[in-house]
Structure formats: C-alpha cells, structure tokens
Amino acid sequence: MKTFYTLAAAALLTLTSFAGFAATEVNAIQAAKLHSMGTISVSELNGTMEDVNTLLAKRADEKGAHYFRVIREGTAGHSDLMSGNAEIYR
C-alpha cells in the first residue's frame, strides 16, 4: 500500500512538472538570438487576447518550441473571432 502512494505521488509530481514547460513569449530583440522553427496560427471564438496568447503558447509547445513571438493578434473582420499568429523558436 505504501508503494502505491509513493507511485501515485511520483506520477502527480511528473504531471505537474510537465505543465510548467509551456513555451515562453519573447520580444523581437530576444527572438533575434534564437533559431526560428516557422510560424503558427490560432483562433478562438468569443475569446480574448489573453485566450489567444494562451493558445499560441500551447500550440508552440505542441510543435516542440521553447519560445514564441506574437506577430499579430486581433479580429479578422468578425468581431467574435479572435486570432493570432506567432513565430516559434528553439
């Protein structure tokens, strides 16, 4: 039983430590020193700029990037649809 609790605690710590590895937003000056991996795009219906930024960080992380620089955030003609583009970096 003690082993079960030890394994459960280890699994929980592993899951929480992976959650902390999301890609980090950088500015243009910081990005100039990094290696570009391409660009990503996201959109969120009824979202906010913060939602778009969170989605960009998540998408960058999914692509294996450590950093991202927002190129554009805003509405694309439809006021309820927020979208954003970012360049991603290693």
Side-chain angles (χ1 to χ4, degrees):
M1 189 70 167
K2 191 174 187 178
T3 304
F4 171 77
Y5 288 119
T6 303
L7 291 174
L12 185 60
L13 286 172
T14 301
L15 288 175
T16 56
S17 67
F18 281 125
F21 289 134
T24 304
E25 185 176 0
V26 295
N27 61 35
I29 294 169
Q30 294 166 318
K33 301 172 187 170
L34 302 171
H35 176 73
S36 176
M37 297 173 59
T39 59
I40 56 172
S41 299
V42 298
S43 58
E44 177 74 10
L45 191 59
N46 297 320
T48 65
M49 295 280 212
E50 186 174 316
D51 295 335
V52 170
N53 223 25
T54 300
L55 287 173
L56 286 169
K58 184 179 177 182
R59 177 74 49 86
D61 195 45
E62 290 169 356
K63 296 282 188 177
H66 298 285
Y67 306 98
F68 70 100
R69 179 181 60 84
V70 175
I71 299 169
R72 185 198 61 78
E73 284 182 321
T75 59
H78 187 278
S79 62
D80 291 338
L81 182 65
M82 297 292 297
S83 61
N85 302 70
E87 187 166 3
I88 56 177
Y89 304 90
R90 278 188 216 162

